[in-house]
Amino acid sequence: MLLLVSLAPPAPLDPAFTFAPLWHARVHAGAESPQYFQSGGLASSTPGSAARGSDPSLVRGSVIMRPDDANIAGNVHGGTILKMIEEAGAIISTRHCNSQAGEHCVSALARVERTDFLSPMCIGEVAHVSAEITYTSKHSVEVQVNVLSENILTGAKRVTNRATLWYVPLSLKNVDKVLEVPPIQYAWKELEEEGKKRYEEQKLERLVTKQRNGDIIFPVINPEPYTVGYSQSSLIHLVGPSDCTLHGFVHGGVTMKLMDEVAGIVAARHCKTNIVTASVDAINFHEKIKKGCIITISGRMTFTSNKSMEIEVFVDADPFVDEPKERYRAVSAFFTYVSLSKEGKPLPVPQLVVESEDEKRRFEDGKGRYLQTKAKRQAQMQPLTQQ
């Protein structure tokens, strides 16, 4: 997907897109013509950016969703949205990290927090992405991203996605060197304290996730329907130049799109109906994937509720071109899918048949995540119902 960017004057944002820190970006992945963008002079608010004559934190654009962005039912692939979200985060974080004089760098995606797909996007609708830096530590950047869908026939708009991403700046001269991040200005002190708490939590979670990354999916001969082995799937991909950043490592958005494809295949095999991505738990990028690697994206069903399916997806990399070494786990995440009727209504999900002790353990772990998410959602909804 081609990414076009143009500097533009600040535009009024939808209230759902507004954050307190004074850092905004409007980003779009996929526009095909410069006529989608407007340019203009801009007063600089980014440290060190005055010498460059423009504010590198402001970009905006729009794209219409096409048939090749969607499944057979016309719903846009979750992976397409994830790729757009990551491109938005990569632009604003890389621009910010290069906003002061010093060694040039490019931002690498380290983690994506839970991402909810609030509403399916359809062919013919226009996608708008809004991204904002909300916290910086010494070596990382937190970016909040929202996706807005617009029906250009009726003018109706709705928020379809919200996501939080973490990036680290890597030197262009030395890919193993992590550079320092320029600090941002906060509207008030509490925002910085809350950001620091989120930073510490995700750092701990990344460590815990990496420690449990040893599983391998093996093929099952003549599996029974609705078992884990029946729907499990794998995809093998050779990493080429078009998949990579300036460093020669895979874009996080490319990886997430492939992961969503595999998760979608698992869900479709289990249900044999139209399925859509409902949410993605934290996606952890444990190690970089280099150009020339062969990556295996594997997915398996871990849990089913009455109307949702949890699918574990992980990415293993086999380097063999420049520096042959052992296969390693690069990325891992849990995707949640729902089954839909032809009218777009939720359908009951066939219950997963678990057989081995490991499958039973993973099912209970998935159930715990499901109940925890459900409790959080109810807690968030409670203040709204009391108004």
Side-chain angles (χ1 to χ4, degrees):
M1 184 178 287
L2 179 64
L3 181 67
L4 295 180
V5 176
S6 176
L7 293 175
L13 295 179
D14 185 285
F17 282 43
T18 305
F19 297 88
L22 306 177
W23 295 77
H24 298 281
R26 307 203 82 184
V27 182
H28 162 66
E32 296 178 286
S33 168
Q35 68 191 20
Y36 282 92
F37 301 91
Q38 299 176 348
S39 299
L42 196 61
S44 172
S45 63
T46 305
S49 65
R52 299 174 189 235
S54 61
D55 183 346
S57 70
L58 291 165
V59 290
R60 66 178 180 180
S62 304
V63 66
I64 193 164
M65 294 291 97
R66 304 180 184 278
D68 56 353
D69 295 319
N71 61 19
I72 56 175
N75 301 126
V76 174
H77 291 294
T80 299
I81 305 299
L82 287 170
K83 190 169 184 286
M84 292 172 62
I85 288 172
E86 196 279 328
E87 287 172 339
I91 289 172
I92 190 172
S93 58
T94 297
R95 281 188 160 183
H96 173 67
C97 291
N98 286 284
S99 62
Q100 293 183 343
E103 196 171 342
H104 287 297
C105 64
V106 64
S107 292
L109 183 61
R111 176 179 167 91
V112 181
E113 301 293 352
R114 179 181 173 84
T115 305
D116 290 306
F117 291 74
L118 307 174
S119 175
M121 195 179 296
C122 302
I123 294 172
E125 293 184 328
V126 174
H128 305 275
V129 180
S130 173
E132 178 182 25
I133 294 175
T134 48
Y135 179 75
T136 57
S137 70
K138 186 177 181 179
H139 295 294
S140 65
V141 181
E142 181 192 54
V143 180
Q144 302 277 356
V145 182
N146 284 297
V147 181
L148 179 73
S149 177
E150 177 189 1
N151 184 318
I152 55 177
L153 300 180
T154 65
K157 297 179 182 179
R158 67 188 188 282
V159 176
T160 61
N161 300 84
R162 294 189 178 97
T164 302
L165 304 90
W166 293 89
Y167 290 85
V168 292
L170 304 180
S171 166
L172 284 176
K173 296 179 181 178
N174 178 6
V175 72
D176 295 319
K177 182 181 179 182
V178 179
L179 301 181
E180 290 192 13
V181 175
I184 64 171
Q185 299 174 358
Y186 299 92
W188 53 85
K189 185 67 177 176
E190 287 79 7
L191 289 173
E192 184 176 8
E193 293 171 354
E194 290 169 5
K196 186 175 182 180
K197 183 180 178 182
R198 293 192 300 272
Y199 167 74
E200 295 296 341
E201 288 174 350
Q202 66 87 25
K203 191 175 179 182
L204 179 62
E205 173 61 24
R206 274 175 55 79
L207 238 112
V208 172
T209 305
K210 192 168 185 178
Q211 289 172 354
R212 64 171 184 251
N213 267 343
D215 287 356
I216 298 174
I217 293 180
F218 295 102
V220 178
I221 308 300
N222 298 324
E224 293 293 322
Y226 308 126
T227 60
V228 175
Y230 184 80
S231 60
Q232 69 182 29
S233 303
S234 294
L235 183 153
I236 298 174
H237 179 76
L238 174 62
V239 176
S242 63
D243 298 322
C244 297
T245 66
L246 297 174
H247 273 124
F249 292 95
V250 178
H251 282 290
V254 170
T255 306
M256 290 192 292
K257 189 176 184 198
L258 291 170
M259 293 173 77
D260 182 73
E261 287 181 13
V262 169
I265 293 170
V266 173
R269 279 181 167 174
H270 183 78
C271 289
K272 295 183 173 60
T273 60
N274 176 37
I275 46 86
V276 293
T277 314
S279 65
V280 185
D281 259 17
I283 305 176
N284 291 287
F285 291 77
H286 308 293
E287 292 193 42
K288 297 183 289 292
I289 303 171
K290 196 173 183 180
K291 179 176 66 179
C293 281
I294 290 178
I295 56 175
T296 303
I297 306 97
S298 305
R300 65 184 170 198
M301 193 80 65
T302 51
F303 170 76
T304 54
S305 67
N306 289 333
K307 292 187 177 179
S308 67
M309 301 160 274
E310 183 192 71
I311 298 147
E312 182 182 21
V313 183
F314 42 81
V315 181
D316 294 320
D318 283 303
F320 71 96
V321 176
D322 297 325
E323 301 172 6
K325 64 176 184 179
E326 290 184 1
R327 180 178 176 134
Y328 62 91
R329 179 64 42 84
V331 192
S332 60
F334 291 97
F335 286 69
T336 298
Y337 272 74
V338 293
S339 173
L340 299 179
S341 67
K342 292 180 180 179
E343 293 74 33
K345 304 293 183 182
L347 292 173
V349 171
Q351 290 304 290
L352 180 66
V353 177
V354 291
E355 299 171 309
S356 70
E357 290 302 315
D358 282 342
E359 290 174 1
K360 292 175 183 177
R361 174 183 55 80
R362 288 195 293 268
F363 187 92
E364 290 303 316
D365 290 345
K367 184 178 181 179
R369 287 186 290 269
Y370 168 76
L371 293 175
Q372 187 177 36
T373 300
K374 188 176 180 180
K376 284 182 181 178
R377 188 180 296 116
Q378 290 173 344
Q380 291 169 352
M381 292 297 294
Q382 195 170 12
L384 298 175
T385 58
Q386 294 174 349
Q387 290 180 356

Short mmCIF file of all heavy atoms in Angstrom, two decimals, residues 179-200:
data_model
loop_
_atom_site.label_atom_id
_atom_site.label_comp_id
_atom_site.label_asym_id
_atom_site.label_seq_id
_atom_site.Cartn_x
_atom_site.Cartn_y
_atom_site.Cartn_z
N LEU A 179 18.59 5.21 20.11
CA LEU A 179 18.89 6.61 20.41
C LEU A 179 17.93 7.16 21.47
O LEU A 179 16.89 6.56 21.77
CB LEU A 179 18.78 7.45 19.14
CG LEU A 179 19.71 7.03 17.99
CD1 LEU A 179 19.53 7.97 16.80
CD2 LEU A 179 21.17 7.03 18.43
N GLU A 180 18.27 8.32 22.01
CA GLU A 180 17.41 8.97 22.99
C GLU A 180 16.27 9.69 22.27
O GLU A 180 16.43 10.19 21.16
CB GLU A 180 18.21 9.94 23.85
CG GLU A 180 19.17 9.23 24.79
CD GLU A 180 19.74 10.17 25.85
OE1 GLU A 180 19.21 11.30 25.99
OE2 GLU A 180 20.71 9.77 26.52
N VAL A 181 15.12 9.77 22.95
CA VAL A 181 13.92 10.38 22.39
C VAL A 181 13.77 11.81 22.91
O VAL A 181 13.86 12.02 24.13
CB VAL A 181 12.66 9.56 22.77
CG1 VAL A 181 11.40 10.27 22.30
CG2 VAL A 181 12.76 8.16 22.20
N PRO A 182 13.54 12.80 22.05
CA PRO A 182 13.27 14.15 22.52
C PRO A 182 12.01 14.16 23.39
O PRO A 182 11.02 13.53 23.04
CB PRO A 182 13.06 14.96 21.24
CG PRO A 182 13.70 14.16 20.16
CD PRO A 182 13.55 12.72 20.57
N PRO A 183 12.03 14.86 24.51
CA PRO A 183 10.83 14.89 25.37
C PRO A 183 9.71 15.72 24.76
O PRO A 183 9.95 16.57 23.91
CB PRO A 183 11.35 15.54 26.66
CG PRO A 183 12.49 16.40 26.21
CD PRO A 183 13.13 15.66 25.05
N ILE A 184 8.48 15.45 25.17
CA ILE A 184 7.34 16.25 24.74
C ILE A 184 6.87 17.11 25.90
O ILE A 184 7.24 16.88 27.06
CB ILE A 184 6.17 15.39 24.22
CG1 ILE A 184 5.61 14.51 25.35
CG2 ILE A 184 6.60 14.54 23.04
CD1 ILE A 184 4.32 13.80 24.97
N GLN A 185 6.07 18.11 25.59
CA GLN A 185 5.49 18.97 26.61
C GLN A 185 4.08 18.47 26.93
O GLN A 185 3.30 18.18 26.03
CB GLN A 185 5.43 20.42 26.11
CG GLN A 185 6.80 21.00 25.80
CD GLN A 185 6.70 22.38 25.16
OE1 GLN A 185 5.60 22.87 24.92
NE2 GLN A 185 7.85 22.98 24.89
N TYR A 186 3.78 18.36 28.23
CA TYR A 186 2.47 17.87 28.66
C TYR A 186 1.60 19.03 29.12
O TYR A 186 2.09 20.01 29.68
CB TYR A 186 2.63 16.87 29.82
CG TYR A 186 3.44 15.65 29.44
CD1 TYR A 186 4.82 15.63 29.64
CD2 TYR A 186 2.84 14.54 28.87
CE1 TYR A 186 5.58 14.52 29.29
CE2 TYR A 186 3.58 13.43 28.51
CZ TYR A 186 4.96 13.43 28.73
OH TYR A 186 5.70 12.33 28.37
N ALA A 187 0.31 18.91 28.86
CA ALA A 187 -0.63 19.96 29.25
C ALA A 187 -0.67 20.10 30.77
O ALA A 187 -0.83 21.19 31.29
CB ALA A 187 -2.02 19.66 28.71
N TRP A 188 -0.55 18.98 31.49
CA TRP A 188 -0.43 19.02 32.94
C TRP A 188 0.35 17.80 33.42
O TRP A 188 0.47 16.79 32.73
CB TRP A 188 -1.78 19.14 33.64
CG TRP A 188 -2.80 18.12 33.24
CD1 TRP A 188 -2.96 16.87 33.74
CD2 TRP A 188 -3.82 18.28 32.25
NE1 TRP A 188 -4.01 16.24 33.14
CE2 TRP A 188 -4.56 17.08 32.22
CE3 TRP A 188 -4.19 19.32 31.38
CZ2 TRP A 188 -5.63 16.88 31.35
CZ3 TRP A 188 -5.26 19.14 30.54
CH2 TRP A 188 -5.97 17.94 30.53
N LYS A 189 0.88 17.90 34.64
CA LYS A 189 1.81 16.91 35.18
C LYS A 189 1.19 15.52 35.27
O LYS A 189 1.87 14.50 35.06
CB LYS A 189 2.27 17.36 36.58
CG LYS A 189 3.33 16.48 37.22
CD LYS A 189 4.66 16.55 36.48
CE LYS A 189 5.72 15.72 37.19
NZ LYS A 189 7.00 15.69 36.42
N GLU A 190 -0.10 15.43 35.57
CA GLU A 190 -0.75 14.13 35.74
C GLU A 190 -0.65 13.27 34.47
O GLU A 190 -0.55 12.04 34.55
CB GLU A 190 -2.22 14.32 36.11
CG GLU A 190 -2.47 14.82 37.52
CD GLU A 190 -2.23 16.33 37.66
OE1 GLU A 190 -2.00 16.98 36.61
OE2 GLU A 190 -2.28 16.81 38.79
N LEU A 191 -0.65 13.91 33.31
CA LEU A 191 -0.55 13.16 32.05
C LEU A 191 0.80 12.46 31.93
O LEU A 191 0.87 11.32 31.47
CB LEU A 191 -0.74 14.09 30.86
CG LEU A 191 -2.16 14.62 30.64
CD1 LEU A 191 -2.18 15.65 29.54
CD2 LEU A 191 -3.11 13.48 30.31
N GLU A 192 1.84 13.12 32.37
CA GLU A 192 3.17 12.49 32.34
C GLU A 192 3.24 11.33 33.32
O GLU A 192 3.80 10.27 33.00
CB GLU A 192 4.23 13.53 32.69
CG GLU A 192 5.66 12.98 32.60
CD GLU A 192 6.71 14.04 32.85
OE1 GLU A 192 6.35 15.17 33.24
OE2 GLU A 192 7.90 13.74 32.65
N GLU A 193 2.65 11.49 34.49
CA GLU A 193 2.65 10.42 35.50
C GLU A 193 1.86 9.21 35.02
O GLU A 193 2.27 8.06 35.21
CB GLU A 193 2.10 10.95 36.81
CG GLU A 193 2.99 12.00 37.46
CD GLU A 193 2.33 12.69 38.65
OE1 GLU A 193 1.13 12.42 38.89
OE2 GLU A 193 3.01 13.48 39.31
N GLU A 194 0.70 9.46 34.39
CA GLU A 194 -0.10 8.36 33.85
C GLU A 194 0.64 7.64 32.72
O GLU A 194 0.58 6.42 32.61
CB GLU A 194 -1.44 8.91 33.33
CG GLU A 194 -2.36 9.38 34.44
CD GLU A 194 -3.56 10.15 33.90
OE1 GLU A 194 -3.70 10.23 32.65
OE2 GLU A 194 -4.35 10.68 34.70
N GLY A 195 1.32 8.40 31.88
CA GLY A 195 2.10 7.81 30.79
C GLY A 195 3.23 6.95 31.32
O GLY A 195 3.50 5.86 30.78
N LYS A 196 3.89 7.42 32.36
CA LYS A 196 4.98 6.64 32.96
C LYS A 196 4.46 5.32 33.52
O LYS A 196 5.11 4.27 33.40
CB LYS A 196 5.66 7.44 34.06
CG LYS A 196 6.89 6.75 34.63
CD LYS A 196 7.62 7.63 35.64
CE LYS A 196 8.87 6.93 36.15
NZ LYS A 196 9.59 7.78 37.15
N LYS A 197 3.26 5.34 34.11
CA LYS A 197 2.66 4.12 34.64
C LYS A 197 2.37 3.14 33.50
O LYS A 197 2.65 1.94 33.62
CB LYS A 197 1.37 4.46 35.39
CG LYS A 197 0.70 3.26 36.03
CD LYS A 197 -0.57 3.68 36.75
CE LYS A 197 -1.27 2.46 37.35
NZ LYS A 197 -2.54 2.83 38.03
N ARG A 198 1.83 3.63 32.38
CA ARG A 198 1.57 2.77 31.22
C ARG A 198 2.87 2.19 30.68
O ARG A 198 2.93 1.02 30.28
CB ARG A 198 0.85 3.55 30.12
CG ARG A 198 -0.55 3.99 30.47
CD ARG A 198 -1.30 4.48 29.24
NE ARG A 198 -0.65 5.62 28.61
CZ ARG A 198 -0.87 6.89 28.92
NH1 ARG A 198 -1.71 7.19 29.89
NH2 ARG A 198 -0.25 7.86 28.26
N TYR A 199 3.92 3.00 30.68
CA TYR A 199 5.23 2.55 30.19
C TYR A 199 5.76 1.39 31.03
O TYR A 199 6.22 0.38 30.50
CB TYR A 199 6.21 3.73 30.23
CG TYR A 199 7.65 3.34 30.04
CD1 TYR A 199 8.14 2.97 28.78
CD2 TYR A 199 8.54 3.33 31.11
CE1 TYR A 199 9.47 2.60 28.61
CE2 TYR A 199 9.86 2.96 30.95
CZ TYR A 199 10.33 2.61 29.70
OH TYR A 199 11.64 2.24 29.54
N GLU A 200 5.68 1.52 32.34
CA GLU A 200 6.18 0.47 33.23
C GLU A 200 5.36 -0.81 33.09
O GLU A 200 5.90 -1.93 33.10
CB GLU A 200 6.16 0.95 34.68
CG GLU A 200 7.10 2.11 34.99
CD GLU A 200 8.57 1.75 34.80
OE1 GLU A 200 8.90 0.55 34.80
OE2 GLU A 200 9.39 2.68 34.63
#
